[in-house]
Amino acid sequence: MTALDARPDTTTTHRFPEHFRWGTATAAYQIEGAAAEDGRTPSIWDTFSRTPGKVRNGDTGDIAADHYHRVTEDIALMRRLGVTDYRFSVSWPRVQPTGRGPAVRKGLDFYRRLADELLEAGIRPVATLYHWDLPQELEDAGGWPQRETAFRFAEYAGIMAEALGDRVATWTTLNEPWCAAFLGYGNGVHAPGRTSALASLRAAHHFNLAHGLAARVLRGALAPSAEVSLTLNLHAVRAHTDAPEDLDAARRIDAVGNRIFLDPVFRGRLPEDLIRDTAPVTDWSFVADGDLEAASAPIDSLGINYYSPTVVAAGSSESPSPWAGAEQHVRFLPAPGPRTAMDWPVDADGLHELLIRLRDDLPGVPLVITENGAAYEDYADPSGEVKDPERVEYLHAHLAAVHRAIEDGADVRGYFLWSLLDNFEWAYGYSKRFGIVHVDFASQRRTFKDSARWYASVIARGGLASG
């Protein structure tokens, strides 16, 4: 019996529902590598990472964790962990290099092979269509601020549904459109690196439209049993005090951070306060008739990515700010308590708060934690072991918060730990490690961290042990 072959025991105190989905998650550009192989063309992240000063140490995703060539090895790791599901993303420029027209067979074959090997291992494939790697040719044509990009995305969704519809049962249209819109087009810290409040709001709207168009395409191409989803990095926003100006600061961030996506997708409308807040930037005339109806295509579940809470007070933010319409009214404060290597506060209560808010705001919508995890300064010791007790503590606390939310009536169906592998961490390059599997990027050797063994035991017992 290997160290990961844990057996259920009688110490479980937080038992999850019988059919709870236990998974792990990755993103194509962060792990695949093979950036110029088999017809793949540059994405906006290839271009951004090659721009001097944009990514720490000049790192790129050219090789990353070399998952493209090591997919069988990585699935074997997942099998040892005992995960029931694996959430991966498809590299849009690997399968449709220009963002238009026919697909590349070798690109599709890679994802067919990935799905087939997952199924053979007893692991359910969960596909995300967009995790930030827009084909550069579409960015050159205007990118997400341009309406046409939403229609190109829907076409791409149809290509993937035809190719993998018989293998993949759960489809997520977009991952964290807030980051892609506001960090990519608002303050420029993510690809494509633009700094325009108007462009970020246009991009956010076109992400909503793209999601709705793609959801309808998927519905028309997939079996009735297939699940269609959307993943948002919703902000657990807290006002610093109960003073009216601080409460208004929290309202502003909730509008441009959360309800800018929740209201169009689930209610078919834009928040009225968001329109007022952003009036100095735009009159929203780029929203065409029928767009909001299209954006509100029904979905089967909502994915939630959570890492830490957001604490705000009245004031102003540095420019350029990703918070369009709020930058002159809101300042951000550090939450108390321990912090991760990303300098993010550790606060599992924020996850519980978020799930209860969604329980109340979106009754009847199943929820899935599609990302949750932490980066720490872990390393392989002289014996080759990777001890990461801080990550174990973080994960335990957040899973306990999920369990508490379920007991409080939140319909949470699964948990996907971020991330399976240490990988290319966007603008931080390879300086931050989120994986429960350590990757030596020089040799590509994989090593289970203590957190991987811990997570395997949680999955095996179906919950958290006492103590």
Side-chain angles (χ1 to χ4, degrees):
M1 185 174 72
T2 71
L4 297 178
D5 292 330
R7 297 180 181 277
D9 59 33
T10 59
T11 65
T12 304
T13 57
H14 296 75
R15 190 171 298 281
F16 283 74
E18 182 180 357
H19 299 294
F20 195 78
R21 290 153 58 180
W22 297 99
T24 187
T26 63
Y29 189 73
Q30 291 183 273
I31 67 166
E32 283 183 2
E37 292 187 34
D38 295 335
R40 184 188 180 279
T41 57
S43 74
I44 54 175
W45 268 97
D46 293 277
T47 302
F48 188 78
S49 64
R50 286 174 171 76
T51 304
K54 295 297 186 182
V55 175
R56 187 170 296 184
N57 300 320
D59 293 337
T60 73
D62 286 0
I63 299 174
D66 199 30
H67 176 72
Y68 190 76
H69 299 112
R70 298 171 185 269
V71 61
T72 299
E73 176 184 357
D74 291 339
I75 291 174
L77 298 176
M78 294 180 231
R79 189 170 191 171
R80 291 185 63 198
L81 285 169
V83 296
T84 62
D85 294 56
Y86 171 54
R87 177 176 178 252
F88 63 94
S89 78
V90 177
S91 169
W92 189 349
R94 191 178 297 287
V95 300
Q96 196 187 27
T98 66
R100 297 180 176 85
V104 171
R105 180 183 60 80
K106 288 186 177 180
L108 292 177
D109 284 349
F110 170 73
Y111 295 106
R112 290 187 181 109
R113 176 189 167 199
L114 170 62
D116 286 345
E117 292 193 18
L118 286 168
L119 292 170
E120 289 171 7
I123 300 169
R124 190 170 176 271
V126 177
T128 298
L129 290 174
Y130 188 75
H131 200 132
W132 307 353
D133 47 359
L134 183 71
Q136 182 60 44
E137 189 164 317
L138 289 185
E139 174 61 24
D140 293 342
W144 285 106
Q146 294 300 313
R147 181 180 183 81
E148 180 65 17
T149 305
F151 292 90
R152 299 284 63 77
F153 180 73
E155 178 187 69
Y156 155 63
I159 289 172
M160 294 311 305
E162 181 179 357
L164 294 183
D166 59 341
R167 297 164 167 87
V168 175
T170 297
W171 295 79
T172 300
T173 55
L174 306 171
N175 178 81
E176 297 187 356
W178 187 89
C179 290
F182 291 97
L183 301 183
Y185 293 94
N187 71 348
V189 300
H190 278 192
R194 292 204 236 167
T195 54
S196 165
L198 175 58
S200 67
L201 293 171
R202 290 177 62 99
H205 171 65
H206 294 138
F207 275 123
N208 285 331
L209 177 60
H211 158 72
L213 294 173
R216 284 176 166 80
V217 168
L218 293 170
R219 292 284 188 213
L222 300 173
S225 59
E227 297 178 9
V228 177
S229 184
L230 167 70
T231 282
L232 302 175
N233 61 308
L234 297 175
H235 301 78
V237 186
R238 297 171 181 164
H240 180 55
T241 73
D242 289 334
E245 57 270 25
D246 286 355
L247 293 173
D248 187 65
R251 178 202 60 76
R252 286 177 178 271
I253 295 305
D254 186 58
V256 75
N258 295 333
R259 289 181 283 116
I260 192 172
F261 299 108
L262 289 172
D263 280 16
V265 170
F266 291 100
R267 297 180 173 89
R269 63 175 186 254
L270 283 166
E272 292 183 4
D273 59 333
L274 173 70
I275 295 173
R276 291 194 302 269
D277 292 345
T278 56
V281 180
T282 182
D283 61 2
W284 293 86
S285 58
F286 51 81
V287 179
D289 290 344
D291 281 5
L292 295 172
E293 180 183 0
S296 61
I299 58 176
D300 299 296
S301 64
L302 176 64
I304 308 300
N305 292 357
Y306 173 85
Y307 294 93
S308 60
T310 302
V311 181
V312 299
S316 61
S317 304
E318 294 182 4
S319 184
S321 167
W323 303 98
E327 60 270 30
Q328 300 303 315
H329 304 273
V330 180
R331 61 190 175 97
F332 294 84
L333 301 175
R339 309 184 85 77
T340 69
M342 298 289 289
D343 199 31
W344 295 347
V346 178
D347 189 332
D349 287 342
L351 178 55
H352 179 266
E353 293 167 13
L354 193 55
L355 292 172
I356 297 306
R357 178 235 176 115
L358 294 169
R359 176 202 67 186
D360 296 339
D361 287 359
L362 302 175
V365 178
L367 307 173
V368 178
I369 308 303
T370 41
E371 286 185 28
N372 177 241
Y376 287 104
E377 303 292 347
D378 37 50
Y379 56 90
D381 66 20
S383 68
E385 295 186 354
V386 183
K387 302 183 183 303
D388 55 344
E390 293 172 309
R391 181 175 290 106
V392 171
E393 184 177 355
Y394 177 101
L395 295 171
H396 189 284
H398 285 75
L399 274 170
V402 174
H403 185 269
R404 182 157 52 98
I406 293 172
E407 289 190 319
D408 290 340
D411 185 9
V412 186
R413 304 285 181 89
Y415 177 91
F416 289 76
L417 190 157
W418 184 272
S419 177
L420 175 67
L421 303 169
D422 289 337
N423 54 39
F424 176 86
E425 186 48 42
W426 307 116
Y428 291 93
Y430 297 99
S431 68
K432 305 297 181 185
R433 294 179 176 270
F434 276 87
I436 56 172
V437 176
H438 180 273
V439 178
D440 181 317
F441 293 107
S443 67
Q444 292 296 337
R445 180 181 179 184
R446 274 86 159 127
T447 303
F448 283 114
K449 302 179 185 180
D450 283 355
S451 57
R453 297 180 175 87
W454 176 85
Y455 191 46
S457 71
V458 170
I459 296 170
R461 62 170 54 96
L464 300 173
S466 59

PDB file of all heavy atoms in Angstrom, residues 65-78:
ATOM      1  N   ALA A  65       4.950  22.910 -16.928  1.00  0.00           N
ATOM      2  CA  ALA A  65       5.132  21.606 -16.291  1.00  0.00           C
ATOM      3  C   ALA A  65       5.180  20.477 -17.318  1.00  0.00           C
ATOM      4  O   ALA A  65       5.114  19.298 -16.956  1.00  0.00           O
ATOM      5  CB  ALA A  65       4.018  21.351 -15.281  1.00  0.00           C
ATOM      6  N   ASP A  66       5.293  20.846 -18.602  1.00  0.00           N
ATOM      7  CA  ASP A  66       5.442  19.873 -19.684  1.00  0.00           C
ATOM      8  C   ASP A  66       4.331  18.832 -19.690  1.00  0.00           C
ATOM      9  O   ASP A  66       4.517  17.689 -20.100  1.00  0.00           O
ATOM     10  CB  ASP A  66       6.809  19.182 -19.588  1.00  0.00           C
ATOM     11  CG  ASP A  66       7.218  18.511 -20.906  1.00  0.00           C
ATOM     12  OD1 ASP A  66       6.818  19.008 -21.968  1.00  0.00           O
ATOM     13  OD2 ASP A  66       7.910  17.482 -20.837  1.00  0.00           O
ATOM     14  N   HIS A  67       3.149  19.235 -19.272  1.00  0.00           N
ATOM     15  CA  HIS A  67       2.019  18.311 -19.197  1.00  0.00           C
ATOM     16  C   HIS A  67       1.652  17.748 -20.564  1.00  0.00           C
ATOM     17  O   HIS A  67       1.168  16.609 -20.664  1.00  0.00           O
ATOM     18  CB  HIS A  67       0.823  19.046 -18.584  1.00  0.00           C
ATOM     19  CG  HIS A  67      -0.442  18.262 -18.536  1.00  0.00           C
ATOM     20  ND1 HIS A  67      -0.634  17.212 -17.666  1.00  0.00           N
ATOM     21  CD2 HIS A  67      -1.607  18.388 -19.246  1.00  0.00           C
ATOM     22  CE1 HIS A  67      -1.854  16.717 -17.838  1.00  0.00           C
ATOM     23  NE2 HIS A  67      -2.468  17.403 -18.790  1.00  0.00           N
ATOM     24  N   TYR A  68       1.874  18.507 -21.618  1.00  0.00           N
ATOM     25  CA  TYR A  68       1.536  18.043 -22.973  1.00  0.00           C
ATOM     26  C   TYR A  68       2.228  16.727 -23.286  1.00  0.00           C
ATOM     27  O   TYR A  68       1.674  15.874 -23.975  1.00  0.00           O
ATOM     28  CB  TYR A  68       1.946  19.112 -23.987  1.00  0.00           C
ATOM     29  CG  TYR A  68       1.439  18.868 -25.399  1.00  0.00           C
ATOM     30  CD1 TYR A  68       0.110  19.119 -25.721  1.00  0.00           C
ATOM     31  CD2 TYR A  68       2.297  18.420 -26.397  1.00  0.00           C
ATOM     32  CE1 TYR A  68      -0.357  18.919 -27.022  1.00  0.00           C
ATOM     33  CE2 TYR A  68       1.836  18.216 -27.697  1.00  0.00           C
ATOM     34  CZ  TYR A  68       0.510  18.469 -28.000  1.00  0.00           C
ATOM     35  OH  TYR A  68       0.047  18.263 -29.288  1.00  0.00           O
ATOM     36  N   HIS A  69       3.450  16.562 -22.769  1.00  0.00           N
ATOM     37  CA  HIS A  69       4.206  15.331 -23.027  1.00  0.00           C
ATOM     38  C   HIS A  69       4.136  14.344 -21.869  1.00  0.00           C
ATOM     39  O   HIS A  69       4.618  13.217 -21.995  1.00  0.00           O
ATOM     40  CB  HIS A  69       5.679  15.669 -23.304  1.00  0.00           C
ATOM     41  CG  HIS A  69       5.871  16.556 -24.502  1.00  0.00           C
ATOM     42  ND1 HIS A  69       6.323  17.853 -24.383  1.00  0.00           N
ATOM     43  CD2 HIS A  69       5.649  16.341 -25.824  1.00  0.00           C
ATOM     44  CE1 HIS A  69       6.392  18.396 -25.589  1.00  0.00           C
ATOM     45  NE2 HIS A  69       5.977  17.508 -26.482  1.00  0.00           N
ATOM     46  N   ARG A  70       3.562  14.751 -20.740  1.00  0.00           N
ATOM     47  CA  ARG A  70       3.563  13.919 -19.537  1.00  0.00           C
ATOM     48  C   ARG A  70       2.148  13.643 -19.025  1.00  0.00           C
ATOM     49  O   ARG A  70       1.953  13.358 -17.845  1.00  0.00           O
ATOM     50  CB  ARG A  70       4.400  14.606 -18.439  1.00  0.00           C
ATOM     51  CG  ARG A  70       5.865  14.792 -18.836  1.00  0.00           C
ATOM     52  CD  ARG A  70       6.621  15.666 -17.850  1.00  0.00           C
ATOM     53  NE  ARG A  70       7.970  15.912 -18.304  1.00  0.00           N
ATOM     54  CZ  ARG A  70       9.028  15.155 -17.997  1.00  0.00           C
ATOM     55  NH1 ARG A  70       8.876  14.121 -17.178  1.00  0.00           N
ATOM     56  NH2 ARG A  70      10.218  15.440 -18.477  1.00  0.00           N
ATOM     57  N   VAL A  71       1.192  13.703 -19.929  1.00  0.00           N
ATOM     58  CA  VAL A  71      -0.194  13.578 -19.509  1.00  0.00           C
ATOM     59  C   VAL A  71      -0.470  12.232 -18.844  1.00  0.00           C
ATOM     60  O   VAL A  71      -1.183  12.153 -17.841  1.00  0.00           O
ATOM     61  CB  VAL A  71      -1.143  13.836 -20.702  1.00  0.00           C
ATOM     62  CG1 VAL A  71      -0.933  12.836 -21.808  1.00  0.00           C
ATOM     63  CG2 VAL A  71      -2.586  13.855 -20.247  1.00  0.00           C
ATOM     64  N   THR A  72       0.122  11.164 -19.367  1.00  0.00           N
ATOM     65  CA  THR A  72      -0.106   9.841 -18.768  1.00  0.00           C
ATOM     66  C   THR A  72       0.449   9.783 -17.353  1.00  0.00           C
ATOM     67  O   THR A  72      -0.207   9.253 -16.434  1.00  0.00           O
ATOM     68  CB  THR A  72       0.532   8.754 -19.636  1.00  0.00           C
ATOM     69  OG1 THR A  72      -0.073   8.773 -20.939  1.00  0.00           O
ATOM     70  CG2 THR A  72       0.348   7.371 -19.020  1.00  0.00           C
ATOM     71  N   GLU A  73       1.624  10.337 -17.160  1.00  0.00           N
ATOM     72  CA  GLU A  73       2.230  10.382 -15.828  1.00  0.00           C
ATOM     73  C   GLU A  73       1.364  11.193 -14.862  1.00  0.00           C
ATOM     74  O   GLU A  73       1.163  10.800 -13.707  1.00  0.00           O
ATOM     75  CB  GLU A  73       3.625  11.011 -15.921  1.00  0.00           C
ATOM     76  CG  GLU A  73       4.326  11.203 -14.592  1.00  0.00           C
ATOM     77  CD  GLU A  73       5.656  11.916 -14.719  1.00  0.00           C
ATOM     78  OE1 GLU A  73       6.077  12.226 -15.865  1.00  0.00           O
ATOM     79  OE2 GLU A  73       6.276  12.189 -13.664  1.00  0.00           O
ATOM     80  N   ASP A  74       0.830  12.305 -15.326  1.00  0.00           N
ATOM     81  CA  ASP A  74       0.046  13.162 -14.445  1.00  0.00           C
ATOM     82  C   ASP A  74      -1.305  12.537 -14.099  1.00  0.00           C
ATOM     83  O   ASP A  74      -1.811  12.712 -12.982  1.00  0.00           O
ATOM     84  CB  ASP A  74      -0.125  14.538 -15.080  1.00  0.00           C
ATOM     85  CG  ASP A  74       1.184  15.318 -15.128  1.00  0.00           C
ATOM     86  OD1 ASP A  74       2.094  14.982 -14.346  1.00  0.00           O
ATOM     87  OD2 ASP A  74       1.301  16.246 -15.945  1.00  0.00           O
ATOM     88  N   ILE A  75      -1.885  11.811 -15.019  1.00  0.00           N
ATOM     89  CA  ILE A  75      -3.130  11.110 -14.701  1.00  0.00           C
ATOM     90  C   ILE A  75      -2.869  10.003 -13.690  1.00  0.00           C
ATOM     91  O   ILE A  75      -3.702   9.748 -12.802  1.00  0.00           O
ATOM     92  CB  ILE A  75      -3.784  10.570 -15.989  1.00  0.00           C
ATOM     93  CG1 ILE A  75      -4.306  11.752 -16.821  1.00  0.00           C
ATOM     94  CG2 ILE A  75      -4.930   9.606 -15.664  1.00  0.00           C
ATOM     95  CD1 ILE A  75      -4.835  11.369 -18.176  1.00  0.00           C
ATOM     96  N   ALA A  76      -1.717   9.368 -13.785  1.00  0.00           N
ATOM     97  CA  ALA A  76      -1.360   8.359 -12.785  1.00  0.00           C
ATOM     98  C   ALA A  76      -1.265   8.989 -11.390  1.00  0.00           C
ATOM     99  O   ALA A  76      -1.654   8.370 -10.387  1.00  0.00           O
ATOM    100  CB  ALA A  76      -0.045   7.686 -13.155  1.00  0.00           C
ATOM    101  N   LEU A  77      -0.769  10.221 -11.309  1.00  0.00           N
ATOM    102  CA  LEU A  77      -0.736  10.923 -10.024  1.00  0.00           C
ATOM    103  C   LEU A  77      -2.150  11.132  -9.488  1.00  0.00           C
ATOM    104  O   LEU A  77      -2.425  10.919  -8.301  1.00  0.00           O
ATOM    105  CB  LEU A  77      -0.048  12.280 -10.185  1.00  0.00           C
ATOM    106  CG  LEU A  77       1.420  12.295 -10.622  1.00  0.00           C
ATOM    107  CD1 LEU A  77       1.881  13.733 -10.817  1.00  0.00           C
ATOM    108  CD2 LEU A  77       2.301  11.579  -9.614  1.00  0.00           C
ATOM    109  N   MET A  78      -3.044  11.562 -10.363  1.00  0.00           N
ATOM    110  CA  MET A  78      -4.431  11.783  -9.946  1.00  0.00           C
ATOM    111  C   MET A  78      -5.073  10.488  -9.470  1.00  0.00           C
ATOM    112  O   MET A  78      -5.833  10.479  -8.491  1.00  0.00           O
ATOM    113  CB  MET A  78      -5.243  12.362 -11.104  1.00  0.00           C
ATOM    114  CG  MET A  78      -4.835  13.738 -11.552  1.00  0.00           C
ATOM    115  SD  MET A  78      -5.907  14.268 -12.915  1.00  0.00           S
ATOM    116  CE  MET A  78      -4.699  14.763 -14.113  1.00  0.00           C
TER     117      MET A  78
END
